[in-house]
Amino acid sequence: MTENPLLAPWTEPFGLPPFAAIKPEHYPPAFDRGMDEQLAEIAAIAKSADAPSFANTVEAMERSGQLLGRVSRVFFNLSSSATNDALEAIARDYAPKLAEHQSRINLDPDLFGRIADLHARRETLGLATDQMRLLERLHLDFVRSGALLDPAGKQRMAEISGRLATLHTLFGQNVLHDEEDWQLVLDAADLEGLPEFARNAAAQKAADRGIAGRYVITLARSSVEPFLTFSSRRDLRQTAYEAWTNRGYHDGLHDNRPLIHEILVLRAELARLLGYDSYAVYRLDDSMAKETAAVERLLSQVWEPAKRKAAAERIALQELAMREGTNAAIAKWDWRYYAEKLRQAKYDIDEAEVKPYFVLENMVQAAFDTAHRLFGVNFAERQGLPLYHPDVRVYEVTDDAGGHVGIFLHDNFARTGKHSGAWMSSFRDRDSLDGEVAPIIVNNNNFAKATPTLLSFDEAETLFHEFGHGLHGLLSRARYPSQAGTSVRRDFVEFPSQIYEHWLAAPETLRKYAVHYETGAPIPEDLLRRLLEARNFDQGFATVEYTAAALLDIAFHTDPSPATIDVETFEQAVVSRIGMPPEIAVRHRPAHFQHLFSGSGYAAGYYAYLWAEVLDADGFEAFAEAGDVFEPHLAARLKDIYASGDTRDPMELYLAFRGRAPRIEALLKHRGLAAAE
Ligand SMILES: [Zn+2]
């Protein structure tokens, strides 16, 4: 057998993984070796005869598990963006093994004894600020993982963690299955209403799937959403809509409903074991929000105004539909279609007129140049580096002095084997514990590939959003690996990404980068003005679909008796209790709500986007007040947030940037929900 490339030293430039040489069968032995190595390292720390010190315990732990981390990052990146049956099988096999491995570390009494000892005398250790926070966080993480439980409780914690890891993996795989299983194959005659970009993308998708001469709509948001927005065929809109919102709801092997049930029961048990009333209380205890009441207060501040705005929007849509000769009430599959028509009528603006100005390459350049002006970093494309898919582009990031900052991979297109949504991840995080390690950051989007690829304004915003996360990883200056970049509290991690979106909408950006793909002409001033005016349009809808999902999340994770939950009945009950407008659906229905159930990252945490929006809307106002969206002093203070990772408390970071506590008014104004409107 030839050498396993995952175990051999990596000699590719910049520390990139040797993608071409890695085969699925290389992962299991590499995972096994990685776990063994880390357990040996941990045992050496835990059983050490030397008295615990920050260096021989906390720093030694930070150094442990390097092989496992390296292998895991390659595996989980590829099983998200370039998966296949072999990787899926390994993911199912290793999810519980990796969880068990983590439990063995977190529940090791000797190791925790040393951490607890250091924690108890932390004020006497002469620690720097980041070290103090690292020790406190480590202690807290162990306690929250069950380190204080009796042996039976620890045993149960480990079982729960292992089973949850399996369930999360299956949940995500089932969603992907349902998305890839379904397609709407159309003839040219069925394309009524679709603008050229949507026809091109549907033709491309058909060609990719070997259905030449026809058109394919898939359940990727970038395919189905334009179809729902433009297709004048109500019957086909309904078909597509129902398929989209029924992902995960099909009886049989890929049904996500029983998985949700089991996940909720186990999470509730986990919380109880640790002394919390519910999983939401447990999760929020370690967040900026701190308690469910704070989250509920925030959600209720937007919920009623959003419903009022949506009700007004619905009336306008219904009137438009009637003028167009339909008496049918607006249904869920009609909203986007009539909203787009109304937007055209009201602002004299239509998506098909806007998109030719939003060429993917130009928007990427806009994101890069914004980073240069704000933070002094440069992006230069590099050819000939090893990659895992030909669509991926790679950039070397340098500072203005020419120093290497990191590597940035841009993986922008939807394709078979790639999970839906958009996300940032890393192949390596920056640290300087033992010399400088530069980050390798990746952004994934799911744009419909075409020639040229034209984006909607929302898609360009997503690009900027993920790029904001990317900068959080690239600009990290934290010295310890576990404090790098995005390792912050979940309800703070969306701040660097969401505030970055504001620079897309800055007229300075649009005048320069929104140029027509054929003529190269800049977006006409008149169209630009109308585009910006229309930004509040349909925000009642957007706020309602999002906030309902956040309320549903909290309801699931505060329910006192999850064992009795029937997923659809529960969803229905929440929807009717909160007074959900019947023409609008929850943004993610439970059986494909991957934020909640394909991992625990956003479980009882979907509110985080809105929480962070209070900060980003208020934070960007600082630039508006300064009269310069690139005001250098503010930009420098903002860069501190991107650079700090988890070395400081998030509210402290925000106060240092803004000079005062955040206020909600900017968010309400931004979404058109302020009292006067
Ligand atoms: Zn995000």
Side-chain angles (χ1 to χ4, degrees):
M1 188 177 153
T2 52
E3 202 176 7
N4 186 336
L6 288 167
L7 298 172
W10 291 358
T11 55
E12 304 288 357
F14 303 112
L16 281 161
F19 290 114
I22 300 171
K23 307 238 172 331
E25 62 267 29
H26 293 135
Y27 290 106
F31 273 131
D32 293 343
R33 168 96 67 91
M35 289 191 279
D36 286 348
E37 274 187 23
Q38 190 174 25
L39 288 180
E41 289 159 347
I42 293 295
I45 300 167
K47 307 278 184 230
S48 165
D50 298 332
S53 69
F54 188 83
N56 74 18
T57 303
V58 181
E59 286 189 339
M61 286 180 69
E62 287 288 303
R63 286 191 183 92
S64 78
Q66 292 193 17
L67 174 64
L68 181 60
R70 203 167 66 160
V71 173
S72 298
R73 280 191 288 269
V74 177
F75 179 78
F76 288 107
N77 274 305
L78 298 190
S79 65
S80 299
S81 66
T83 194
N84 54 45
D85 289 346
L87 293 189
E88 303 253 298
I90 296 167
R92 289 191 296 272
D93 193 16
Y94 273 83
K97 292 182 186 172
L98 292 166
E100 190 201 338
H101 171 75
Q102 198 54 52
S103 292
R104 282 178 74 171
I105 296 172
N106 291 340
L107 300 174
D108 181 322
D110 295 329
L111 183 63
F112 182 66
R114 296 175 73 88
I115 296 167
D117 172 62
L118 289 169
H119 185 256
R121 50 194 181 87
R122 61 192 180 283
E123 301 295 345
T124 68
L125 299 174
L127 299 178
T129 323
D130 60 336
Q131 295 175 322
M132 180 64 85
R133 188 167 168 89
L134 181 63
L135 174 55
E136 288 179 341
R137 163 113 332 257
L138 184 66
H139 183 261
L140 185 64
D141 281 347
F142 269 63
V143 171
R144 288 173 58 81
S145 302
L148 294 175
L149 297 176
D150 62 20
K154 283 184 182 164
Q155 169 69 26
R156 185 61 191 144
M157 274 302 279
E159 286 163 11
I160 293 173
S161 304
R163 180 64 186 153
L164 280 174
T166 295
L167 293 166
H168 294 156
T169 305
L170 289 173
F171 188 95
Q173 292 186 355
N174 287 344
V175 175
L176 184 64
H177 171 273
D178 279 8
E179 285 176 355
E180 299 202 328
D181 200 40
W182 191 91
Q183 60 185 13
L184 183 60
V185 182
L186 301 174
D187 292 317
D190 302 320
L191 304 181
E192 220 175 297
L194 294 192
E196 198 185 335
F197 78 84
R199 289 167 188 249
N200 287 346
Q204 175 84 50
K205 190 40 81 182
D208 290 351
R209 295 193 175 190
I211 315 172
R214 300 186 77 192
Y215 301 85
V216 163
I217 303 301
T218 72
L219 296 180
R221 191 174 278 274
S222 59
S223 177
V224 71
E225 231 174 14
F227 187 77
L228 293 170
T229 304
F230 292 106
S231 172
S232 47
R233 285 281 298 278
R234 191 173 199 240
D235 57 333
L236 295 178
R237 287 203 309 268
Q238 181 172 357
T239 303
Y241 182 85
E242 285 174 349
W244 192 37
T245 51
N246 282 311
R247 287 168 293 154
Y249 283 96
H250 304 291
D251 292 336
L253 206 56
H254 299 283
D255 189 350
N256 267 341
R257 289 167 293 188
L259 271 52
I260 294 175
H261 191 262
E262 194 181 346
I263 288 170
L264 291 171
V265 168
L266 290 174
R267 284 178 180 165
E269 185 185 348
L270 179 152
R272 260 198 323 278
L273 266 172
L274 295 168
Y276 293 92
D277 285 346
S278 70
Y279 189 73
V281 175
Y282 161 70
R283 282 307 301 265
L284 290 168
D285 193 37
D286 184 29
S287 69
M288 264 184 103
K290 304 271 192 279
E291 47 189 28
T292 47
V295 172
E296 282 161 357
R297 198 158 49 239
L298 172 65
L299 295 176
S300 72
Q301 275 178 297
V302 301
W303 179 241
E304 291 302 328
K307 272 201 298 186
R308 278 197 295 278
K309 192 166 198 300
E313 289 167 4
R314 184 191 55 77
I315 291 169
L317 298 186
Q318 190 71 61
E319 283 170 3
L320 176 66
M322 287 172 77
R323 278 203 301 281
E324 300 221 327
T326 323
N327 283 321
I330 297 284
K332 290 179 170 118
W333 45 89
D334 296 326
W335 188 291
R336 287 174 179 79
Y337 176 72
Y338 287 109
E340 176 58 21
K341 284 195 172 263
L342 186 63
R343 191 164 79 127
Q344 292 180 19
K346 203 166 162 186
Y347 298 96
D348 188 24
I349 193 170
D350 78 273
E351 184 95 24
E353 183 193 4
V354 171
K355 276 189 112 156
Y357 293 96
F358 287 82
V359 180
L360 172 63
E361 279 71 20
N362 297 342
M363 291 301 116
V364 170
Q365 196 58 49
F368 289 170
D369 291 352
T370 299
H372 180 247
R373 287 186 71 181
L374 286 172
F375 306 133
V377 283
N378 306 286
F379 291 75
E381 183 158 16
R382 298 288 305 244
Q383 308 287 348
L385 293 174
L387 292 169
Y388 56 90
H389 191 279
D391 281 349
V392 185
R393 299 176 69 169
V394 56
Y395 302 85
E396 184 181 1
V397 190
T398 53
D399 59 28
D400 276 343
H404 179 75
V405 171
I407 289 292
F408 177 68
L409 308 181
H410 226 174
D411 186 347
N412 283 322
F413 299 119
R415 61 171 171 262
T416 303
K418 185 170 177 178
H419 284 250
S420 56
W423 66 95
M424 166 271 194
S425 179
S426 66
F427 285 94
R428 192 167 72 184
D429 291 323
R430 191 263 172 194
D431 77 76
S432 60
L433 178 53
D434 298 305
E436 195 70 26
V437 174
I440 303 173
I441 301 297
V442 57
N443 270 184
N444 275 280
N445 290 295
N446 262 293
F447 304 136
K449 191 177 180 180
T451 324
T453 299
L454 302 176
L455 305 183
S456 67
F457 190 84
D458 286 356
E459 287 174 327
E461 229 167 32
T462 300
L463 182 101
F464 269 64
H465 177 103
E466 296 310 330
F467 191 67
H469 285 307
L471 289 170
H472 203 183
L474 287 165
L475 297 175
S476 180
R477 301 305 298 161
R479 81 173 122 165
Y480 295 107
S482 61
Q483 293 179 325
T486 53
S487 334
V488 298
R489 297 311 87 214
R490 183 60 65 182
D491 49 6
F492 190 61
V493 79
E494 298 300 333
F495 171 74
S497 54
Q498 289 182 177
I499 196 167
Y500 205 74
E501 294 173 26
H502 292 270
W503 276 275
L504 169 66
E508 291 87 328
T509 305
L510 295 175
R511 284 194 187 106
K512 187 164 175 199
Y513 299 95
V515 298
H516 196 278
Y517 77 98
E518 280 173 331
T519 65
I523 190 165
E525 278 300 312
D526 181 46
L527 178 58
L528 175 61
R529 183 183 50 75
R530 285 179 280 132
L531 181 67
L532 294 177
E533 273 174 14
R535 291 202 67 216
N536 276 348
F537 180 72
D538 214 30
Q539 280 296 308
F541 171 86
T543 310
V544 162
E545 65 158 10
Y546 164 80
T547 308
L551 289 164
L552 186 60
D553 170 26
I554 294 295
F556 269 130
H557 291 106
T558 49
D559 192 274
S561 49
T564 62
I565 285 181
D566 168 80
V567 173
E568 278 146 312
T569 314
F570 189 87
E571 179 188 7
Q572 260 318 308
V574 170
V575 157
S576 82
R577 175 171 59 77
I578 64 178
M580 184 77 179
E583 310 80 10
I584 304 178
V586 180
R587 185 170 169 87
H588 307 283
R589 294 190 62 210
H592 46 261
F593 203 160
Q594 303 204 66
H595 290 84
L596 307 197
F597 302 119
S598 68
S600 57
Y602 284 83
Y606 192 65
Y607 76 93
Y609 295 94
L610 195 70
W611 186 271
E613 194 177 325
V614 174
L615 306 181
D616 78 68
D618 183 67
F620 189 72
E621 283 278 308
F623 288 91
E625 287 160 12
D628 176 5
V629 296
F630 294 102
E631 205 289 314
H633 298 95
L634 279 170
R637 299 214 297 267
L638 183 61
K639 190 178 179 182
D640 278 344
I641 293 186
Y642 284 80
S644 292
D646 196 47
T647 57
R648 289 172 66 193
D649 175 77
M651 190 52 89
E652 231 175 72
L653 285 171
Y654 188 83
L655 291 171
F657 157 65
R658 188 63 164 111
R660 61 161 175 76
R663 300 173 188 151
I664 195 174
E665 284 71 20
L667 176 150
L668 296 176
K669 193 177 92 190
H670 190 61
R671 286 185 174 251
L673 302 175
E677 294 181 69

